[in-house]
Amino acid sequence: RRLFMEVACAAPTIICCRCTPTQKAEIVRLIRQTLPHVCTAAIGDGGNDVGMIQAAHVGIGIAGREGQQAALASDFSLEQFCHLSRLVLWHGRNCYLRSATLSQFIIHRGLIISIIH
């Protein structure tokens, strides 16, 4: 496990193929435990990917020939893999804007409260 995590942490992306559903979910859990500051995303298209999708921070299911199990168990559901870039760019930008707005609100609120006192 330690050797695997050393190699896995050096890579920017980990792709699991030819693994059992339990192994896929265990890899995601191991990465979450080893690197708690890293956000994990799991992309799957079938029923064998449900455990991995549920173990990740962000689960993305692709509805397709293998059924709807992955799409139903995921946080985000896509019709095709090519829609993934739009999901990441659009929702990532919106999340950044919402976080920035909230931070700005909190700073201004604290400033107003301190001026009043």
Side-chain angles (χ1 to χ4, degrees):
R1 282 188 167 184
R2 196 176 62 117
L3 178 63
F4 174 76
M5 285 311 299
E6 288 177 12
V7 173
C9 292
T13 305
I14 300 171
I15 299 175
C16 302
C17 59
R18 310 302 289 168
C19 295
T20 65
T22 309
Q23 289 172 333
K24 292 177 185 179
E26 186 62 32
I27 289 171
V28 173
R29 282 191 206 97
L30 190 60
I31 292 170
R32 284 185 70 170
Q33 290 171 357
T34 306
L35 303 169
H37 62 282
V38 173
C39 182
T40 58
I43 305 169
D45 65 346
N48 60 341
D49 298 324
V50 170
M52 175 183 65
I53 289 172
Q54 290 177 340
H57 288 104
V58 179
I60 302 169
I62 300 174
R65 293 184 214 139
E66 294 187 26
Q68 297 289 323
Q69 292 94 351
L72 294 173
S74 64
D75 299 319
F76 296 98
S77 178
L78 303 174
E79 288 295 321
Q80 297 176 356
F81 188 77
C82 64
H83 297 149
L84 183 63
S85 62
R86 183 173 179 203
L87 173 78
V88 171
L89 293 175
W90 176 253
H91 288 286
R93 180 179 184 274
N94 284 343
C95 182
Y96 171 76
L97 290 175
R98 288 185 200 116
S99 297
T101 303
L102 180 65
S103 299
Q104 203 171 31
F105 171 75
I106 291 171
I107 290 170
H108 284 102
R109 184 187 68 181
L111 183 65
I112 290 171
I113 289 172
S114 65
I115 289 174
I116 291 174
H117 284 96

